[in-house]
Amino acid sequence: MPDQTQSAPLLSVSGLTVSFKTERGTASAINGVDFDLKRGEVLCLLGESGSGKSVTLRALMRLLPERRSRIAGKVLLNGEDVYAVPERRMEKLRGKAISMVFQEPMLALDPVYTIGHQIAETIVRHEGIAFADAERRALDLLERVQIPSAKRRLKAYPHEMSGGMRQRAMIALALSCNPALLLADEPTTALDATVQMQILLLLRQLQAELDMAVILVTHDIGVAAETADRVAVMYAGRFVELGTARQVLKDPQHPYTAGLLASTVHGNMRGHALEAIPGAPPDLTNLPSGCAYAPRCPHADAHCTAAPPSETWLEPGRMARCVRARVPAAAPV
Amino acid sequence: MFAYILRRILYIVPIALGVTLLVFALVHIAPGDPLNAVVGPDAPAEVVEQLRRSYGFDQPLPVQYVIYLGHVLSGDLGQSVATGRPVIADLGRALGNTLILSVGAAIVGFTSGILLGALAGWHRGGFIDRLATLLTLIGVSVPHYWLGMVLVIVMAVELNLLPAMGMAPGGATGWGFTGAHLAHAVLPVLTMSVIPMGIVARSVRATVAEVLQQEFVQALRAKGLGRGPVLRHVVRNVAPTVVSVLGLQFGYLLGGSILIETVFSWPGTGFLLNEAIFKRDLPLLQGTILMLGLFFVLLNLLVDIAQAALDPRMRRS
């Protein structure tokens, strides 16, 4: 791992591939993902829908349906091989060492149990304390995620809360056993713009307070810029670019990253026209043999369609998967 | 929750009144003069006229309805034209007999249906699912009077294992929890349980499969819950829908089955209805339909309350 800077990373992913059996054939959702994550580090996965961000998160927790998916590669969490330990052990890790905030809390919370019950249940599961004590902890957690009149909300059902409040409750649930790694799957997509910012600020604040590592999936470049230490851009199930948030967003090396930046509204773009990336994401059941982005890339040539480009490490921790990435300093746009 | 229950109970008053209105109208909707069943076609006109007055048919319809409602509320359902006995007594006995069959059929049909449906939904698309789907398809498609006759031929006539008809040896009609009585109930209960089994299994399968597809099931696994606790959440989410199906099915069972009770000579409500229809015994017919209708209304009330107790989202409206 060229970007390995410390001795023992919290999470180490190598050669991760995931494919699903579908009616139309085998869909290759993840096609080789490698990265390390340090304790307390925030990594943003950036990309369009269908680029494999959410699947990556679920693969890290071994949540994908085992019958319909083929998973290869290695996921080491705290040195434990996620795909080698028995399911029993995995259940103990989920929610405790690694936990997840889902995109749509209305769908991810059980509609017929109260918020308090759902949080307390998790604590009882992992710490074996009495339910009443766990409920008291749940109250602390709700206060910690700044839910107003938390005591009353403990007894509330998901449908009785607003979207922002539900997502706060979901975060409280995910944090209930002090996970070392929090996976957040587009946690603000389902929320109003004003609430989005509050939730992000909350996540960042909690991340710093608890010194958690976070993998945040988003398609919002602004979110990535605000929160991430490092950014990984995903396309067709691969990391096409990796680096610090500043490196990737200020000096994109992959044409796809550049296209994403040009097509999104973010800081200092007043006066510039928005550009759209032409075409559509590739069909995962029938990926092109060369670079998956080549059909949409303005710079594509014969090299690109010949074979998938390999990782080019520009400096430690800075990678782009593009044949043009060698060219130093020249911005590809 | 308490306010919800109170409101639900209030709602059934107009519904129950509607049922009485429909049942009352039955006399006038049914073709022919209701008195034809009481007196012969060649009775003198003045006798018919006198009867008409004594039955109150000369009064305006609204007045007739109010009088009828008054009788119903005081527990008087009139007398059977055919036997002269009070309807309520015959009806009570028949309802009791049908209750034996329907409770038995509910126990057999509901447990097997829930089990079958849950297994199929949990293993959706697998072998168990296909087997269960086949069984339930047969259950809902087989004509149950035919199944009843086949069971009689095989179990009673050929193998001589179980009695073919009646409630007790020698055509007695009382019920008791003796081996002989239970043996008489086996075949009709089995026959009657087949349809609810199929319907319950199908809806349980669909509901379980639907709940399992929801994201919160994955979220439950993501917080570290094992199979057992996840299953408990699934059951709680499936329960409201299943309860409503069970309530409805039990309502149908309580109505008795004209066909099954006729095949097995079981003196229940279905048998009674059959008799009332063929003899044009309007008071008996009215009483039976009214009672069954009110039972249905009551069952729906219970289902509504149970659903609200199980699903917090129901309590709002």
Side-chain angles (χ1 to χ4, degrees):
Chain A
M1 291 296 109
D3 66 329
Q4 192 168 329
T5 45
Q6 266 188 0
S7 51
L10 172 66
L11 179 75
S12 172
V13 180
S14 51
L16 181 67
T17 65
V18 176
S19 57
F20 298 109
K21 277 176 256 166
T22 69
E23 281 126 38
R24 298 192 303 118
T26 306
S28 314
I30 309 288
N31 301 300
V33 160
D34 308 81
F35 68 96
D36 283 358
L37 192 70
K38 286 180 290 195
R39 275 171 202 289
E41 191 182 18
V42 179
L43 171 70
C44 243
L45 299 188
L46 202 61
E48 317 169 80
S49 323
S51 58
K53 298 166 301 185
S54 298
V55 177
T56 305
L57 290 197
R58 281 161 176 76
L60 296 184
M61 288 187 95
R62 205 167 116 187
L63 272 182
L64 296 168
E66 283 179 19
R67 265 190 303 164
R68 286 190 298 112
S69 45
R70 264 218 347 264
I71 301 160
K74 208 163 203 177
V75 177
L76 290 178
L77 176 68
N78 258 335
E80 268 186 283
D81 188 339
V82 164
Y83 282 94
V85 298
E87 177 64 20
R88 269 285 142 95
R89 174 68 192 147
M90 201 55 224
E91 281 168 14
K92 291 215 170 69
L93 294 176
R94 289 191 200 111
K96 174 116 182 103
I98 179 171
S99 69
M100 173 122 92
V101 173
F102 286 78
Q103 177 174 349
E104 182 33 288
M106 190 64 197
L107 303 177
L109 291 166
D110 186 331
V112 304
Y113 284 91
T114 61
I115 297 295
H117 183 104
Q118 298 191 47
I119 298 176
E121 179 181 43
T122 316
I123 301 173
V124 171
R125 165 79 182 92
H126 289 294
E127 305 190 0
I129 60 176
F131 198 84
D133 295 333
E135 266 190 321
R136 229 161 292 141
R137 279 263 301 278
L139 179 63
D140 293 343
L141 282 158
L142 289 189
E143 275 163 0
R144 178 140 216 186
V145 296
Q146 297 152 26
I147 287 184
S149 48
K151 190 143 196 158
R152 201 156 49 85
R153 295 297 169 189
L154 212 54
K155 297 260 174 288
Y157 291 94
H159 72 271
E160 294 170 332
M161 304 171 98
S162 68
M165 200 111 74
R166 274 197 291 267
Q167 194 56 290
R168 283 173 196 271
M170 183 89 230
I171 291 170
L173 172 66
L175 297 185
S176 58
C177 296
N178 300 315
L181 173 58
L182 181 73
L183 309 178
D185 187 5
E186 306 203 26
T188 60
T189 308
L191 304 173
D192 292 342
T194 48
V195 182
Q196 286 188 354
M197 210 55 224
Q198 295 171 4
I199 294 289
L200 278 179
L201 288 174
L202 175 73
L203 268 178
R204 201 164 64 171
Q205 179 200 336
L206 290 168
Q207 183 272 330
E209 279 175 22
L210 303 169
D211 196 30
M212 276 185 305
V214 175
I215 301 180
L216 179 67
V217 157
T218 181
H219 54 245
D220 185 334
I221 288 166
V223 168
E226 283 291 325
T227 49
D229 297 321
R230 286 197 299 156
V231 170
V233 180
M234 283 195 82
Y235 190 78
R238 282 200 182 92
F239 281 11
V240 292
E241 183 153 6
L242 179 67
T244 66
R246 168 169 285 274
Q247 287 169 337
V248 172
L249 301 179
K250 284 273 188 273
D251 179 26
Q253 289 298 308
H254 196 283
Y256 176 63
T257 315
L260 265 188
L261 287 169
S263 66
T264 331
V265 183
H266 54 102
N268 302 329
M269 278 195 55
R270 194 177 295 273
H272 293 265
L274 284 180
E275 289 169 36
I277 302 178
D283 178 3
L284 294 176
T285 59
N286 185 22
L287 284 174
S289 56
C291 173
Y293 187 60
R296 303 168 77 185
C297 181
H299 312 289
D301 57 26
H303 292 293
C304 301
T305 46
S310 54
E311 295 178 346
T312 304
W313 292 91
L314 304 157
E315 55 187 282
R318 179 88 176 99
M319 182 278 282
R321 202 184 273 273
C322 178
V323 289
R324 291 162 48 87
R326 264 182 299 266
V327 187
V333 182
Chain B
M1 184 71 195
F2 184 71
Y4 175 86
I5 295 175
L6 214 65
R7 206 165 52 230
R8 281 283 134 181
I9 291 176
L10 280 180
Y11 281 166
I12 70 167
V13 174
I15 299 172
L17 279 178
V19 174
T20 59
L21 193 64
L22 269 178
V23 168
F24 165 76
L26 201 67
V27 181
H28 302 279
I29 295 169
D33 192 322
L35 290 175
N36 281 353
V38 188
V39 290
D42 46 352
E46 54 266 35
V47 176
V48 174
E49 203 44 48
Q50 202 201 330
L51 266 172
R52 192 178 301 281
R53 240 174 294 132
S54 75
Y55 273 103
F57 285 139
D58 57 334
Q59 306 277 342
L61 278 181
V63 177
Q64 286 188 38
Y65 173 65
V66 171
I67 295 171
Y68 170 71
L69 198 60
H71 284 302
V72 167
L73 286 177
S74 60
D76 176 12
L77 296 178
Q79 277 141 33
S80 161
V81 173
T83 62
R85 285 198 298 264
V87 167
I88 193 110
D90 281 0
L91 191 56
R93 209 169 312 117
L95 267 173
N97 292 342
T98 292
L99 201 65
I100 295 164
L101 285 194
S102 38
V103 168
I107 292 172
V108 176
F110 292 178
T111 42
S112 57
I114 290 172
L115 226 69
L116 218 58
L119 275 174
W122 192 266
H123 299 280
R124 201 164 71 124
F127 172 72
I128 298 176
D129 182 20
R130 261 170 283 165
L131 188 72
T133 306
L134 183 73
L135 279 176
T136 56
L137 190 69
I138 293 172
V140 293
S141 320
V142 141
H144 54 315
Y145 55 88
W146 175 83
L147 182 68
M149 289 189 284
V150 168
L151 280 176
V152 166
I153 291 169
V154 174
M155 302 300 283
V157 180
E158 295 291 330
L159 300 175
N160 204 15
L161 283 175
L162 290 163
M165 53 201 299
M167 281 185 68
T173 51
W175 177 256
F177 283 92
T178 66
H181 283 92
L182 288 174
H184 275 83
V186 169
L187 289 184
V189 161
L190 273 184
T191 314
M192 227 168 146
S193 68
V194 168
I195 287 182
M197 185 269 282
I199 291 174
V200 168
R202 287 180 142 206
S203 63
V204 168
R205 176 191 179 272
T207 318
V208 167
E210 189 213 308
V211 167
L212 283 178
Q213 290 226 306
Q214 288 184 38
E215 195 171 33
F216 77 79
V217 177
Q218 204 177 50
L220 289 172
R221 293 218 299 130
K223 66 185 196 180
L225 298 191
R227 242 162 200 272
V230 170
L231 188 67
R232 209 179 58 229
H233 278 264
V234 172
V235 167
R236 269 299 307 270
N237 275 274
V238 169
T241 315
V242 173
V243 160
S244 75
V245 174
L246 295 189
L248 210 62
Q249 287 302 313
F250 192 64
Y252 291 140
L253 286 176
L254 265 188
S257 160
I258 293 186
L259 295 170
I260 287 176
E261 290 184 0
T262 307
V263 167
F264 291 101
S265 302
W266 191 273
T269 45
F271 200 74
L272 201 65
L273 267 178
N274 190 29
E275 231 176 332
I277 291 166
F278 277 101
K279 291 184 180 156
R280 281 189 66 81
D281 194 339
L282 274 172
L284 188 59
L285 196 59
Q286 271 185 312
T288 312
I289 293 175
L290 177 69
M291 215 32 96
L292 294 180
L294 291 182
F295 264 123
F296 225 90
V297 173
L298 197 71
L299 261 174
N300 271 312
L301 171 73
L302 291 179
V303 164
D304 278 350
I305 292 173
Q307 269 191 311
L310 290 168
D311 189 341
R313 285 166 298 182
M314 301 272 190
R315 285 170 220 161
R316 265 208 302 193
S317 51

